[in-house]
């Protein structure tokens, strides 16, 4: 098959020229390629560059990338690869989303480790540009080919793979975390701060709060070490970490506050909130970047104080919290979840708050999640919790139809993301009201249970 493919581009060109009755000079004029160069390409005496391939493809009226797969076979598998042609090929394929072509070529090229250094640099470039799927292919190939199994570059590859592999599936994320964690020690010491932060975030999304607390403590220790190290240096080096160092200590305390909240230790959560706000107050002459971070943490502190008080049963601050949310729209989903949760726990009527955000909740319900991103994975969990708590709230008010409707919304997302623990909670709550569900709701529920594949859970 490959033997046939290596001539396909030339065969296509020659066939096109015959059908269009084009002489070589005329086709040269159309493509903008020198007639001598074009002749050498067609005779197989000269390799074709990516730019020339695109010029020819365009002149033939074909979409860009039409010949890329064949070009990859001809130039990098059946012929000795040359970086001058391979690099632009990777960039063009990545830009067009031709991932299969990248995979095919890279698998062959990395066999002899000839271009491992260059491929890593391209992977980093793809990562920075947001070409995540293409970057993942390169990182995995480089990691597989890395000779020195304790190298910093291997660790960085594993870090990038960890970031790119995260999905909405809890078990997949746990596997990714367990696989990556041993590589943290091999990373640059500043990058370790980002890695620990990201790892703690992931453990939070799968509710392993003891692990989050452990990593938060580790983040504080490593940040303090870096601060001390920098104070001893005569000359400040270029920052490698994604954020200023003080941010990591503040974020670690924010994580500890989150853990305390999950443990229902709300006074302790308020103490940690005071700590990270005090860190922000201690920054003198902040840069524009630092001031933006200071404002962000102070905003979180304000909102979280309202939240912790409400979760403690103090609903006197609810209206002030709602005013805060009117300015901080990005926090509405998680805030509504906890407000409804607290209302369920303390049997407090929050209809006015739900009416205030009715349109927003409807919009949340119809939006779909995107797989593969940490924030979306966390948002997916909040979505499930929000509609589960709304279901409990409406069912407690004897608004059965609306309550079951919210419950089915939550269960549907549980099933699609394989969140079995929340599936069980939804199924248990539905069981208490199944006799009062409408015919349509019963049908929806049965379809979801069938999709879940657990025959014992039936309506």
């Amino acid at each position: 098959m490959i033997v046939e493919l290596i001539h396909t581009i030339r065969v296509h060109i020659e066939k096109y020229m015959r059908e269009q009755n084009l002489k070589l000079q005329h086709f040269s004029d159309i493509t903008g390629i020198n007639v001598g160069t074009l002749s050498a390409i067609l005779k197989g005496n000269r390799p074709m560059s990516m730019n020339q391939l695109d010029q020819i493809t365009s002149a033939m009226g074909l979409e860009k990338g039409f010949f890329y797969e064949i070009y990859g076979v001809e130039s990098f598998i059946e012929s000795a690869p040359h970086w001058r042609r391979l690099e632009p090929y990777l960039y063009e394929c990545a830009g067009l989303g031709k991932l299969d072509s990248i995979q095919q070529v890279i698998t062959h090229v990395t066999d002899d480790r000839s271009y491992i250094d260059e491929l890593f640099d391209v992977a980093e470039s793809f990562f920075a540009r947001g070409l995540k799927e293409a970057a993942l292919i390169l990182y995995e190939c480089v990691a597989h080919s890395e000779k020195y199994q304790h190298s910093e570059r291997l660790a960085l590859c594993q870090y990038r793979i960890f970031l790119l592999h995260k999905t909405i599936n809890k078990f997949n994320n746990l596997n990714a975390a367990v696989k990556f964690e041993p590589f943290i020690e091999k990373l640059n010491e500043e990058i370790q701060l980002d890695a620990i932060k990201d790892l703690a975030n992931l453990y939070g999304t799968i509710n392993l709060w003891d692990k989050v607390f452990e990593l938060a403590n580790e983040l504080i220790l490593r940040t303090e070490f870096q601060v001390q190290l920098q104070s001893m240096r005569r000359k400040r080096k270029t920052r490698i970490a994604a954020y200023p160092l003080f941010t990591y200590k503040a974020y670690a305390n924010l994580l500890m506050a989150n853990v305390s909240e999950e443990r229902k230790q709300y006074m302790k959560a308020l103490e940690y909130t005071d700590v990270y706000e005090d860190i922000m107050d201690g920054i003198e002459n902040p840069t524009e970047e630092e001031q933006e971070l200071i404002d962000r943490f102070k905003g979180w502190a304000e909102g979280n104080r309202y939240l912790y008080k409400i979760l403690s049963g103090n609903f006197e601050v609810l209206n002030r919290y709602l005013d805060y949310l009117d300015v901080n729209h990005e926090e509405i989903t998680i805030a509504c979840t906890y407000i409804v949760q607290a209302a369920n726990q303390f049997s407090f009527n929050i209809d006015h708050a739900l009416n205030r955000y009715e349109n927003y909740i409807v919009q949340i319900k119809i939006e779909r999640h995107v797989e593969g991103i940490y924030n979306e994975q966390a948002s997916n969990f909040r979505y499930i919790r929000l509609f589960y708590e709304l279901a409990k709230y409406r069912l407690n008010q004897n608004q059965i139809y609306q309550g079951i409707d919210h419950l089915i919304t939550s269960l549907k997302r549980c099933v699609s993301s394989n969140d079995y623990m929340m599936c069980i909670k939804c199924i248990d709550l539905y069981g208490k009201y199944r006799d009062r569900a409408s015919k349509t709701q019963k049908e929806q529920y049965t379809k979801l249970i069938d999709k879940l594949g657990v025959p014992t859970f039936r309506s």
Side-chain angles (χ1 to χ4, degrees):
M1 182 63 180
I2 290 179
V3 175
E4 297 174 2
L5 283 177
I6 62 173
H7 301 296
T8 303
I9 297 178
R10 294 205 300 274
V11 168
H12 268 275
I13 296 171
E14 291 166 351
K15 180 182 178 183
Y16 176 81
M17 291 175 64
R18 287 195 303 271
E19 290 175 347
Q20 301 298 318
N21 196 25
L22 295 174
K23 300 297 184 183
L24 188 62
Q25 182 62 58
H26 192 185
F27 192 58
S28 170
D29 294 339
I30 297 173
T31 59
I33 300 173
N34 176 274
V35 65
T37 301
L38 189 59
S39 176
I41 289 173
L42 291 176
K43 291 178 180 178
N45 296 328
R46 178 170 180 159
M48 191 186 313
S49 70
M50 285 297 298
N51 186 51
Q52 290 165 345
L53 177 63
D54 288 339
Q55 288 175 279
I56 290 171
T57 304
S58 176
M60 294 172 65
L62 300 171
E63 64 180 15
K64 185 176 181 179
F66 183 87
F67 292 119
Y68 279 8
E69 182 180 0
I70 303 170
Y71 183 84
V73 172
E74 180 179 355
S75 300
F76 311 118
I77 296 178
E78 287 300 302
S79 301
H82 193 288
W83 184 249
R84 186 167 52 85
R85 291 199 304 277
L86 178 58
E87 183 178 23
Y89 177 78
L90 295 175
Y91 276 98
E92 293 294 342
C93 285
L96 294 177
K98 292 187 172 294
L99 304 178
D100 289 342
S101 296
I102 294 176
Q103 184 72 68
Q104 177 179 243
V105 167
I106 292 306
T107 301
H108 178 79
V109 168
T110 53
D111 281 347
D112 61 3
R113 301 189 74 256
S114 298
Y115 297 115
I116 297 301
D117 293 347
E118 291 88 349
L119 289 173
F120 176 77
D121 291 339
V122 173
E124 288 284 86
S125 176
F126 285 173
F127 185 82
R129 297 181 185 202
L131 299 170
K132 296 180 179 180
E133 292 176 305
L136 181 58
I137 292 172
L138 298 190
Y139 283 129
E140 289 182 330
C141 282
V142 172
H144 180 72
S145 303
E146 182 60 71
K147 181 178 180 180
Y148 303 102
Q149 292 300 307
H150 301 289
S151 73
E152 182 180 328
R153 185 170 65 190
L154 174 62
L156 189 53
C157 281
Q158 294 294 349
Y159 178 33
R160 302 296 195 221
I161 291 169
F162 163 74
L163 292 175
L164 295 170
H165 258 169
K166 287 181 290 187
T167 70
I168 62 169
N169 186 295
K170 287 185 175 183
F171 301 106
N172 289 346
N173 285 341
L174 178 58
N175 289 335
V178 170
K179 182 178 179 180
F180 165 63
E181 192 166 354
F183 289 95
I184 289 180
E185 290 290 339
K186 304 302 177 183
L187 289 168
N188 172 279
E189 289 181 340
E190 284 191 43
I191 296 178
Q192 287 178 17
L193 305 181
D194 291 305
I196 293 171
K197 170 184 67 68
D198 291 328
L199 192 61
N201 284 339
L202 185 140
Y203 278 123
T205 67
I206 53 181
N207 302 320
L208 293 179
W209 298 108
D210 288 348
K211 192 66 179 177
V212 174
F213 198 85
E214 174 192 324
L215 288 168
N217 268 315
E218 185 67 23
L219 187 55
I220 290 175
L221 293 174
R222 297 197 187 210
T223 302
E224 290 177 342
F225 176 77
Q226 285 300 311
V227 170
Q228 185 178 9
L229 198 62
Q230 285 201 4
S231 67
M232 296 170 60
R233 290 194 177 107
R234 294 182 179 180
K235 184 178 180 181
R236 175 173 289 187
K237 68 172 187 175
T238 303
R239 191 180 85 206
I240 300 175
Y243 303 100
L245 288 180
F246 71 86
T247 309
Y248 296 95
K249 187 171 182 178
Y251 193 78
N253 280 278
L254 174 61
L255 289 172
M256 290 174 165
N258 291 342
V259 174
S260 299
E261 169 208 314
E262 290 294 330
R263 293 171 174 172
K264 303 187 186 305
Q265 300 169 345
Y266 303 119
M267 293 303 296
K268 196 70 177 175
L270 286 169
E271 291 176 13
Y272 287 121
T273 302
D274 290 340
V275 172
Y276 68 75
E277 188 168 41
D278 287 345
I279 292 172
M280 297 299 113
D281 289 334
I283 305 303
E284 298 179 356
N285 302 316
T287 63
E288 183 177 346
E289 178 194 22
E290 290 171 342
Q291 187 60 55
E292 182 180 337
L293 290 165
I294 290 169
D295 293 342
R296 189 182 305 174
F297 273 92
K298 282 183 168 291
W300 287 338
E302 180 185 357
N304 286 337
R305 283 196 180 93
Y306 291 135
L307 177 61
Y308 301 147
K309 290 176 182 178
I310 290 170
L311 289 171
S312 301
N314 178 5
F315 286 89
E316 292 181 2
V317 301
L318 178 57
N319 288 331
R320 277 181 281 164
Y321 191 27
L322 298 180
D323 291 339
Y324 165 86
L325 294 174
D326 284 342
V327 179
N328 298 274
H329 295 154
E330 70 280 0
E331 297 183 35
I332 291 177
T333 305
I334 189 168
C336 284
T337 304
Y338 285 119
I339 290 170
V340 182
Q341 176 187 320
N344 287 333
Q345 181 180 350
F346 296 102
S347 300
F348 191 85
N349 189 299
I350 55 165
D351 283 354
H352 74 289
L354 295 180
N355 289 338
R356 188 163 173 172
Y357 294 117
E358 180 180 4
N359 292 335
Y360 192 88
I361 292 172
V362 170
Q363 185 62 33
I364 293 171
K365 184 175 181 178
I366 63 177
E367 286 179 352
R368 295 187 176 185
H369 63 268
V370 179
E371 297 187 20
I373 305 173
Y374 155 72
N375 286 336
E376 291 299 340
Q377 198 273 347
S379 296
N380 183 68
F381 178 68
R382 291 196 290 266
Y383 179 106
I384 291 169
R385 284 275 301 276
L386 171 61
F387 286 99
Y388 175 78
E389 294 294 342
L390 283 170
K392 286 178 64 176
Y393 182 77
R394 293 307 182 191
L395 290 170
N396 289 337
Q397 290 183 318
N398 207 33
Q399 297 181 29
I400 305 302
Y401 182 85
Q402 190 175 3
I404 293 178
D405 188 59
H406 286 320
L407 189 59
I408 289 174
T409 298
S410 181
L411 180 59
K412 184 177 181 179
R413 184 63 66 86
C414 290
V415 172
S416 67
S417 58
N418 298 321
D419 191 333
Y420 297 116
M421 292 302 295
M422 283 302 297
C423 278
I424 292 171
K425 294 183 72 171
C426 288
I427 290 167
D428 182 59
L429 184 57
Y430 178 85
K432 298 175 182 178
Y433 296 90
R434 72 174 69 203
D435 293 338
R436 302 175 67 182
S438 70
K439 181 181 178 181
T440 300
Q441 289 174 332
K442 289 179 179 179
E443 291 173 352
Q444 291 174 325
Y445 176 83
T446 300
K447 287 181 180 178
L448 288 172
I449 296 305
D450 287 340
K451 189 174 181 180
L452 188 61
V454 185
T456 56
F457 293 155
R458 306 291 294 183
S459 62

